[in-house]
Amino acid sequence: MVIIDKIKKWFLATILIVTAVMGGLSFGMPAVHAQDEGETYVIATDATFAPFSFVDVDGELAGIDIDVFKAAMEVEGLNYEFMPMSFSAALQALETKQVDGMIAGMAITPARQETFDFSAPYYISGNSFAVRPDSDVETYEDLEGRNVAVKTGTTGFAIAEDMADEYGFDITIFEDSANMYEDVMVGNADAAIEIFAVMAHSINTGQVDLKFIGEELSPSEMGFAVHKDLNGELLDAFNRGLVTIQENGTYDEIIESYLGEEAQQEQASEGFLAQLQQNAPALMRGLWTTIVVSVLSIVFATVIGVILGLMRVSHSKLLKGLAIFYIDVMRGMPMIVFVFFVYFGVAQWMNINFTPGTAGVLALSINTAAYVAEIVRGGIQAVDTGQSEASRSLGLDYSQTMRRIVLPQAIRIMTPSFINQFIMTLKNTSILSVIGLVELTQTGRIIISRTYQSGNMWLIVGLIYIVIITILTYISHYVDRRLNSGQ
C-alpha cells in the first residue's frame, strides 16, 4: 500500500506539472486554419529558404516572401501567422487544408495549378546547377555517373529528374537547401540544383562555397498559393496588396534589401561558443517545446498503455485479442509514417485539423502506448503466479489480487523499462519536425539554414539532448530507488 500511495502522489504531481505546462504547448502551434471572417489565417512557409524565407539572428522570420506577404497584408488589414515547415511538408499541409496558404518561393506550374490557386507572380527565377570550386565538372555532360543533390518537391527536383537519363547522373533527395549544399561541399554529391536567386544569394554572401555551371534553366514565376476553390478572399487580398506595394515602391525596396548590391547578410560567428551564445534563446524555446510534448505524450501513453496491458493479461480472449492487434499495428508502423498519417491523413479523410503540437502529442501517445502496454504485461507476468494463487485461496477476487498483490510488485519491476521508454519518447520528438513542430531538432535545422554551420550546430543540439536526457535519467533513477526501497 505504501508503494500505491507513492504512485498516487507522483501521478498527482505529474498531473499538476502537465496542467502547468499546457500553456506552453501553444508555442510553435498556430491555430487551425481560418474559416470565418476576422480569424487568423495560417500561412505555411519554408524557413530554410534564404533569401525568400528564413529565420534571422533575432529569431524572427525574414526574407522576400515574408516581407512581401507582410506588406501586402498590412495594406488589406488581414490577420495571419506563419507556420515554418519543410517545403514538402508545407505542400502536404496546404493540400490537406491544414493551412490556409503557402508562400515559399513556390513556382507556378501546370501540375500545381490543378490542386492550388495561385496569386499573380511576385518573382521570376530559373534553376541552376552548382558544383564545388575545385570540381572538374564544367558541363552537364560531365555529370555522367555522378551524383546530384536535389530538394524534394521543388522545380529543381523535376528538372533533375528530366535530365537524369539524358546525362546519366543519379539523384540524392534532401528536405532542405542547407543539407543539399552541405552534401556537395563535403564531397558526397557532385552537384546541386536550386533556384538561381536562392543559390546566388548563398554564394554571394560567402555562406556557400560553390560555383555555377551551365545556363539558368526553365525560368518560373513564383506565387502565393491557396487550396483550390478555398480562401479566395485571402488570395484576392494578397493580389490587391501586391499591386499596391509594387506601385508605391515597397516591393522594390524589399527586393533590393535582399538581392541588391548593398544587401548584407549578417554573418554568423563560426565558433562553437559564439554559435551557442547567439542562438541560445531559440534553442531554449525549442528545448521547452520538446520537454512539454514529451511529458504530455508519456502521461497519455501511460494511461492508454496500462489499460492495454491489463487487457493483454486478462482472461477475456476478446480483450486480449484487441490489445494484441493494437500493439502489433503500432509496433509494425514506422513512427514517421504514423506522424504523417495523424497530421495529414486524418485531415484529408475526416476533415479534422490538428495543430502540429496536438498531432505530435497524439501520434507519440498512441504509438508509445503499445510499448508501455508490453512493459505492463511483462511486469505483471514476472510476478510469481503462486502469489496470485495464494491470494485467491485467501478469498481475494481477481481485481483485489491485481490491485493489492500483483501490481505493487509489478510496478517495481516495470520502473527501469518505463524510464527507458520515457527517454525514447523524448528522443522521438525530433521526428515531429517533419510536420512543422519547432522543437529542438527543427530549431537546429532552421538555424543551420541561416548560418550554414551544420557541424557546430548539430554538436550543440546533440549536447543539449545528452544533458537533458542525463538529468532526466538521474531523476528517474532516484524515483526508482525511492519506490523500490519502500520509503
Side-chain angles (χ1 to χ4, degrees):
M1 290 302 292
V2 173
I3 297 296
I4 295 296
D5 291 340
K6 287 187 174 295
I7 291 295
K8 288 180 179 177
K9 291 178 181 178
W10 281 108
F11 181 76
L12 289 173
T14 303
I15 293 297
L16 290 174
I17 293 172
V18 169
T19 304
V21 301
M22 277 294 287
L25 189 60
S26 60
F27 172 76
M29 302 174 188
V32 177
H33 62 82
Q35 295 287 344
D36 302 319
E37 185 178 356
E39 293 189 10
T40 300
Y41 291 99
V42 179
I43 310 300
T45 188
D46 179 1
T48 63
F49 201 52
F52 289 94
S53 177
F54 61 97
V55 177
D56 63 19
V57 293
D58 298 321
E60 301 294 333
L61 277 172
I64 295 173
D65 287 357
I66 303 301
D67 288 358
V68 165
F69 191 85
K70 284 181 176 178
M73 290 299 103
E74 185 176 350
V75 172
E76 293 295 318
L78 295 181
N79 299 320
Y80 63 90
E81 55 185 295
F82 291 107
M83 179 188 290
M85 53 178 55
S86 69
F87 187 83
S88 60
L91 280 176
Q92 294 180 71
L94 184 60
E95 183 182 3
T96 56
K97 306 174 188 175
Q98 291 280 40
V99 297
D100 299 301
M102 173 179 173
I103 186 164
M106 188 175 179
I108 304 173
T109 66
R112 289 173 179 165
Q113 285 178 311
E114 294 180 2
T115 307
F116 310 124
D117 288 331
F118 282 90
S119 68
Y122 62 85
Y123 195 81
I124 299 176
S125 182
N127 285 267
S128 293
F129 282 87
V131 298
R132 292 185 301 280
D134 60 349
S135 173
D136 59 356
V137 176
E138 299 290 342
T139 66
Y140 300 142
E141 286 75 13
D142 294 335
L143 290 172
E144 183 175 3
R146 307 292 184 103
N147 197 304
V148 174
V150 301
K151 181 178 172 181
T152 184
T154 62
T155 52
F157 182 17
I159 292 171
E161 277 193 318
D162 291 339
M163 296 175 63
D165 289 340
E166 180 181 355
Y167 293 100
F169 58 78
D170 297 321
I171 292 175
T172 301
I173 303 171
F174 292 89
E175 279 288 329
D176 53 57
S177 300
N179 285 336
M180 182 175 68
Y181 298 152
E182 287 284 343
D183 201 53
V184 179
M185 289 190 291
V186 300
N188 293 331
D190 299 283
I193 181 170
E194 175 68 287
I195 291 176
F196 178 81
V198 174
M199 200 178 295
H201 173 80
S202 301
I203 293 174
N204 293 337
T205 54
Q207 295 174 307
V208 172
D209 190 20
L210 298 175
K211 66 176 183 181
F212 288 111
I213 63 168
E215 70 276 16
E216 192 172 340
L217 302 169
S218 305
S220 301
E221 297 175 332
M222 299 179 186
F224 167 62
V226 298
H227 197 279
K228 204 166 190 61
D229 299 326
L230 283 178
N231 295 313
E233 74 288 351
L234 176 61
L235 198 62
D236 293 341
F238 178 83
N239 283 330
R240 290 194 301 270
L242 181 61
V243 171
T244 300
I245 64 174
Q246 287 173 333
E247 291 177 346
N248 64 21
T250 303
Y251 175 85
D252 291 335
E253 292 175 3
I254 293 172
I255 298 298
E256 183 69 15
S257 67
Y258 290 102
L259 300 178
E261 294 181 357
E262 297 182 358
Q264 296 292 326
Q265 173 76 19
E266 187 169 351
Q267 298 299 305
S269 301
E270 295 184 355
F272 175 87
L273 294 178
Q275 282 282 305
L276 179 59
Q277 182 180 13
Q278 186 180 63
N279 300 293
L283 289 168
M284 290 303 101
R285 288 195 295 270
L287 176 61
W288 172 246
T289 300
T290 294
I291 293 173
V292 170
V293 171
S294 301
V295 170
L296 290 176
S297 298
I298 201 67
V299 169
F300 296 142
T302 300
V303 174
I304 301 171
V306 168
I307 295 172
L308 288 170
L310 293 175
M311 290 169 60
R312 183 75 172 80
V313 297
S314 74
H315 299 304
S316 168
K317 292 183 178 178
L318 175 61
L319 294 178
K320 183 181 291 186
L322 289 173
I324 291 173
F325 177 77
Y326 180 101
I327 292 168
D328 287 348
V329 168
M330 286 299 112
R331 293 202 303 187
M333 183 178 295
M335 185 63 200
I336 192 170
V337 175
F338 190 59
V339 170
F340 278 133
F341 173 77
V342 171
Y343 189 59
F344 298 119
V346 172
Q348 197 166 44
W349 285 4
M350 305 175 66
N351 199 28
I352 298 176
N353 295 307
F354 297 119
T355 65
T358 303
V361 171
L362 195 60
L364 273 180
S365 301
I366 294 173
N367 183 270
T368 304
Y371 297 92
V372 173
E374 284 298 273
I375 293 172
V376 173
R377 178 192 63 80
I380 292 174
Q381 292 183 339
V383 178
D384 189 352
T385 55
Q387 298 194 36
S388 296
E389 295 170 358
S391 67
R392 296 292 183 86
S393 66
L394 294 173
L396 298 178
D397 58 22
Y398 177 80
S399 175
Q400 291 173 321
T401 300
M402 290 296 292
R403 183 159 47 87
R404 298 184 177 181
I405 306 297
V406 178
L407 284 180
Q409 299 178 72
I411 287 171
R412 291 194 181 98
I413 299 170
M414 295 176 207
T415 307
S417 298
F418 191 78
I419 292 170
N420 186 59
Q421 187 58 51
F422 178 65
I423 292 172
M424 291 300 298
T425 301
L426 189 145
K427 289 194 285 188
N428 280 341
T429 57
S430 62
I431 296 174
L432 304 181
S433 63
V434 299
I435 59 172
L437 183 67
V438 188
E439 40 68 62
L440 184 56
T441 301
Q442 179 70 349
T443 302
R445 291 178 60 191
I446 290 174
I447 294 171
I448 289 170
S449 72
R450 169 172 50 81
T451 64
Y452 292 93
Q453 298 293 316
S454 59
N456 285 334
M457 187 47 58
W458 286 131
L459 178 59
I460 291 170
V461 171
L463 288 175
I464 293 174
Y465 273 117
I466 291 172
V467 169
I468 194 67
I469 287 173
T470 301
I471 292 172
L472 290 174
T473 300
Y474 277 102
I475 293 174
S476 301
H477 286 165
Y478 171 77
V479 174
D480 182 33
R481 287 195 299 270
R482 296 278 295 179
L483 288 174
N484 283 287
S485 65
Q487 296 177 16

